[in-house]
Amino acid sequence: MIGIDKLGCYVPKTVLPLTTLAHARGVDPDKYTQGIGQKEMAMVSHNEDVVTMACEAAHTILSDEDKALIDMVLFATETGLDYSKAASIYALDVLGLPASTRAIELKQACYASTGAMFLAMDYVRSHPTKKVLVLSSDIAWYGFESAGEVTQGAGAIAMLISMNPRLGAIKEGKKTVRNEKDFYRPLYSKVPVVDGKLSIECYQDMLKEVQDHHPRLYTCFHLPFANMAKKANQVMTHPMDEQHLSVVKELGSRVGNIYNGSLYLSLLSVLMHAKEDLRGETIGMFAYGSGAMAEFFTITLKEDYKSGLNMESLKAIDQDRIELSMHEYESLMNHYENKEYSASLDLSTYVKPYQTFVLDRATSGHRTYKKLK
Ligand code: HMG
């Protein structure tokens, strides 16, 4: 049996309340909070990027014993730092993983994490004593006053894939790929080119095609915004009731779109907020990445699935959040854009007490990360 041994998550503490954004943009706040379904969206702070977030997520779950068994690190992102060098090399170094590890970065919009997970499972099948670390980390940045501005977010998921997993066994289902123009970020652009309505249609069409038509207590979805769960549920042969749907989207409504990690954030939402005893339960999982690739699969939770989670760190996602004003949000995201396109940086003055990993500086484009604790 192969699957997810451990699952960890990191979300930046700095968040923009959607009512703040609505007031600034002259939009009825109900559109964002009721129509889109978002309460807050997480924004990266000055010295965070996809590597620091991925390391924070991994740090919550990895023991020294796990680290010694990791043979490959797959880094799924559409917020790449470099056309050439994989973000996993930085992550591997700062996490202190063995130098004999294979380190690669993967891309297919929000689907790469799921693709990486299935590749990791095949690797473990042929190397049964080894583990693979799959990191998913993204910053969903659409630009000020864009249609997608309300569906931003940032965060990372770390998954350890192994034989005899603690959390749950993964079973492959059906997948499909189509050449679509719903969402893409060409090399000349800092933000994606998005046809929002088409993207929702593609998502729903492909979900119709790959779902397995089994009734289930919970199905988790890739959630670019919380109410996408409602739209996904509408095309399911056996839709969930309102109460179960709210569990699936609860965490996402406080975080926003974290692209590659978003489906697994929905899974964590169920694991944290479900009222039922989930031991032995099979949960449906729908992965979608624009462009477009979709896959439906299941995870069957182990009796002791909670041993694959770090509950303390998961509960901390909702605690001690720093609400940004509109001015702080704008200055943070201007800083973000400048940072991503600067060859030289010194961010050493920005350290916050809750951070374990920070981007300290960049020299000739090469980033230096620090582990603080
Ligand atoms: P929009 O045009 O701003 O919003 O686009 P809208 O007019 O469609 O309104 C949204 C909802 O609010 C509607 O509800 C309105 O009725 C409601 P619905 O009909 O959908 O149920 N509404 C109100 N409710 C209460 N009070 C009011 C009010 N006014 C309106 N006063 C859109 C929204 C999500 C399209 C836009 O923000 C966008 O383009 N976002 C980015 C693209 C996206 O998230 N697509 C989702 C599917 S594709 C995907 O998931 C892949 C992705 O993650 C990328 C990747 O794979 O890498 C994005």
Side-chain angles (χ1 to χ4, degrees), residues 28 30-31 34-36 78 109-111 142 147-151 182-183 194-197 199-200 203 222 224-225 228 230-231 257 259 288-290:
D28 179 353
D30 286 352
K31 174 176 175 184
Q34 308 298 315
I36 298 284
E78 54 182 302
C110 301
Y111 169 80
Y142 288 82
E149 189 179 27
V150 62
T151 59
D182 62 331
F183 174 113
V194 188
D195 183 336
K197 304 290 174 221
S199 72
I200 292 170
Y203 180 120
H222 163 61
F225 55 93
M228 192 66 219
K230 213 160 103 184
K231 293 179 187 299
N257 196 355
Y259 286 162
Y288 179 80
S290 286

Side-chain angles (χ1 to χ4, degrees), residues 10 13-14 44-48 56 322 332 347-358 372-373:
Y10 174 77
K13 290 277 172 215
T14 35
V44 270
S45 65
H46 296 90
N47 54 2
E48 291 182 315
E56 298 277 7
I322 303 156
L332 208 50
L347 304 173
S348 52
T349 56
Y350 289 107
V351 175
K352 305 273 186 339
Y354 58 82
Q355 296 182 308
T356 306
F357 299 93
V358 292
L372 301 172
K373 298 170 200 162

Side-chain angles (χ1 to χ4, degrees), residues 179-200:
N179 185 2
E180 295 286 0
K181 289 193 276 189
D182 62 331
F183 174 113
Y184 50 101
R185 180 150 79 88
L187 298 182
Y188 60 77
S189 180
K190 291 180 179 175
V191 292
V193 179
V194 188
D195 183 336
K197 304 290 174 221
L198 174 66
S199 72
I200 292 170

Side-chain angles (χ1 to χ4, degrees), residues 62-240:
L62 294 184
S63 65
D64 287 345
E65 195 191 330
D66 292 327
K67 286 186 183 179
L69 293 175
I70 291 172
D71 208 28
M72 183 154 73
V73 181
L74 300 178
F75 199 115
T77 187
E78 54 182 302
T79 320
L81 304 169
D82 193 301
Y83 291 133
S84 174
K85 180 170 177 171
S88 44
I89 293 190
Y90 287 119
L92 188 146
D93 181 30
V94 74
L95 284 169
L97 296 176
S100 57
T101 308
R102 207 168 261 134
I104 312 168
E105 183 174 312
L106 297 94
K107 178 182 68 186
Q108 179 8 63
C110 301
Y111 169 80
S113 48
T114 297
M117 184 191 74
F118 279 107
L119 293 175
M121 286 174 56
D122 284 343
Y123 189 84
V124 167
R125 210 166 274 127
S126 57
H127 300 78
T129 60
K130 299 295 184 188
K131 298 189 180 198
V132 178
L133 179 63
V134 177
L135 299 172
S136 312
S137 188
D138 275 302
I139 297 158
W141 166 236
Y142 288 82
F144 300 123
E145 298 183 48
S146 63
E149 189 179 27
V150 62
T151 59
Q152 298 179 132
I157 292 285
M159 286 191 257
L160 197 58
I161 305 300
S162 76
M163 296 290 286
N164 305 317
R166 271 168 263 228
L167 189 83
I170 300 288
K171 188 159 175 264
E172 210 171 328
K174 194 171 167 188
K175 55 189 179 314
T176 184
V177 62
R178 295 182 195 170
N179 185 2
E180 295 286 0
K181 289 193 276 189
D182 62 331
F183 174 113
Y184 50 101
R185 180 150 79 88
L187 298 182
Y188 60 77
S189 180
K190 291 180 179 175
V191 292
V193 179
V194 188
D195 183 336
K197 304 290 174 221
L198 174 66
S199 72
I200 292 170
E201 271 171 41
C202 292
Y203 180 120
Q204 286 181 312
D205 263 15
M206 289 169 88
L207 171 55
K208 273 191 221 163
E209 189 184 330
V210 296
Q211 65 173 298
D212 66 1
H213 310 289
H214 283 301
R216 286 203 179 88
L217 205 51
Y218 290 103
T219 293
C220 297
F221 303 108
H222 163 61
L223 291 184
F225 55 93
N227 278 353
M228 192 66 219
K230 213 160 103 184
K231 293 179 187 299
N233 200 40
Q234 279 162 1
V235 301
M236 295 295 286
T237 312
H238 299 283
M240 289 172 280

